[in-house]
């Protein structure tokens, strides 16, 4: 009887030792896990609203998507983006609607992802502005020429009509604009993962929870059996 009495405290002592070790063990595992060291793939995005100045390609999303998805544009305006003379697969261009496109670039670095997207957007907007300025000069020159032209009374009505059309066009014209640039801070939030300290805390809490269940579950089962 004395032997049995001595074994019970020894058994309980071993259980308590295991319960104390479990949280420490899981906290240690959480600390050394390499999850936080693995690079996260993040995607930076920028949104462009296309211009409106009667350009066959630059004012239509499908044409812009095709242009920004192939190497010739980058060869002329942004060669640093190309990898072995090709557009990298990490860079994607999609049409949101007929007049809006979205640029996206995926990388393990939020700074690189944001930089590439914003560089592509800037290169496109610069090219678009040049085309817009050229169109605007043509329209303004046409308006000036019509206003300075002396016409017969019979042709005056037609002259006024053409002037009104050109001025209406000039008023409605607008270049492409950047609706939303890639933000390094916002991308970095998506990249954030649990560090060693946070994982150790989570592991310790899980260990404490399991230890608590280990203590309380047998008593609950025993009480449940007795109730029957």
């Amino acid at each position: 009887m004395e032997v049995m009495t001595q074994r019970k405290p020894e058994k309980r002592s071993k259980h308590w030792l295991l319960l104390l070790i479990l949280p420490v063990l899981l906290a240690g595992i959480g600390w050394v896990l390499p999850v936080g060291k693995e690079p996260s793939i993040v995607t930076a995005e920028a949104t462009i609203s296309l211009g409106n100045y009667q350009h066959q390609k630059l004012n239509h999303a499908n044409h812009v998507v095709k242009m920004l998805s192939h190497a010739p544009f980058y060869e002329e305006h942004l060669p640093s983006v190309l990898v072995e003379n090709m557009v990298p697969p990490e860079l994607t261009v999609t049409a949101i609607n007929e007049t809006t496109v979205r640029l996206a670039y995926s990388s393990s670095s939020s700074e690189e992802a944001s930089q590439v997207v914003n560089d592509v957007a800037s290169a496109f907007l610069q090219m678009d502005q040049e085309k817009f300025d050229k169109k605007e000069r043509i329209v303004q020159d046409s308006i000036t020429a019509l206003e300075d032209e002396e016409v017969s009374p019979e042709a005056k009505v037609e002259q006024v009509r053409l002037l009104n059309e050109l001025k209406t066009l000039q008023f409605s014209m607008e270049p492409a604009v950047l609706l939303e640039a890639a933000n390094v801070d916002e991308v970095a939030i998506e990249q954030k993962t649990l560090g060693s300290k946070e994982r150790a805390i989570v592991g310790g809490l899980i260990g404490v929870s399991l230890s608590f269940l280990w203590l309380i579950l047998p008593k609950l089962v025993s009480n449940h059996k007795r109730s029957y």
Side-chain angles (χ1 to χ4, degrees):
M1 193 71 176
E2 287 184 16
V3 175
M4 292 180 65
T5 306
Q6 290 176 354
R7 286 180 179 176
K8 284 184 178 180
E10 289 178 2
K11 189 175 182 181
R12 290 175 182 173
S13 177
K14 290 180 180 179
H15 283 175
W16 279 107
L17 184 60
L18 289 173
L19 294 177
L20 290 173
I21 290 175
L22 186 59
V24 177
L25 179 62
L26 291 180
I29 292 174
W31 180 274
V32 300
L33 277 177
V35 177
K37 298 178 182 178
E38 295 177 356
S40 300
I41 300 300
V42 297
T43 301
E45 296 182 346
T47 307
I48 297 175
S49 177
L50 303 181
N52 177 31
Y53 51 93
Q54 296 184 344
H55 195 283
Q56 290 183 343
K57 294 183 178 180
L58 298 184
N59 296 166
H60 302 281
N62 289 336
H63 289 290
V64 172
V65 168
K66 184 177 180 180
M67 179 181 68
L68 296 182
S69 299
H70 292 81
F73 170 82
Y74 300 96
E75 290 173 353
E76 182 176 354
H77 300 282
L78 197 63
S80 61
V81 169
L82 297 176
V83 178
E84 297 181 354
N85 297 321
M86 297 182 65
V87 179
E90 295 83 4
L91 176 62
T92 58
V93 188
T94 54
I96 298 176
N97 53 47
E98 293 182 355
T99 59
T100 310
V101 297
R102 178 181 290 118
L103 307 173
Y105 188 83
S106 299
S107 172
S108 59
S109 166
S110 58
E111 289 80 6
E112 180 189 14
S114 300
Q115 184 68 48
V116 171
V117 166
N118 288 333
D119 285 349
V120 173
S122 296
F124 172 79
L125 291 173
Q126 182 178 353
M127 182 192 68
D128 181 85
Q129 186 67 49
E130 292 173 358
K131 300 294 185 182
F132 173 81
D133 291 342
K134 182 178 179 180
K135 179 71 174 184
E136 192 174 41
R137 286 194 298 270
I138 292 173
V139 173
Q140 182 58 53
D141 290 345
S142 299
I143 291 174
T144 301
L146 276 173
E147 289 177 336
D148 294 342
E149 185 180 7
E150 295 291 337
V151 297
S152 63
E154 294 80 9
K156 192 68 178 178
V157 175
E158 182 64 15
Q159 183 188 43
V160 171
R161 185 185 68 79
L162 290 175
L163 275 171
N164 287 337
E165 286 183 359
L166 288 171
K167 289 181 178 180
T168 300
L169 173 61
Q170 187 182 46
F171 181 77
S172 64
M173 286 171 53
E174 56 185 12
V177 294
L178 184 64
L179 294 181
E180 184 178 3
N183 189 307
V184 176
D185 294 332
E186 292 179 359
V187 174
I189 293 173
E190 296 176 11
Q191 186 184 21
K192 185 178 180 181
T193 56
L194 289 177
S196 297
K197 184 178 180 180
E198 289 86 353
R199 294 198 307 273
I201 293 173
V202 171
L205 291 174
I206 293 173
V208 171
S209 300
L210 291 175
S211 298
F212 178 76
L213 286 175
W214 196 346
L215 285 173
I216 204 72
L217 192 58
K219 293 183 179 180
L220 292 176
V221 173
S222 177
N223 292 337
H224 182 69
K225 289 181 177 179
R226 288 176 183 175
S227 65
Y228 284 95

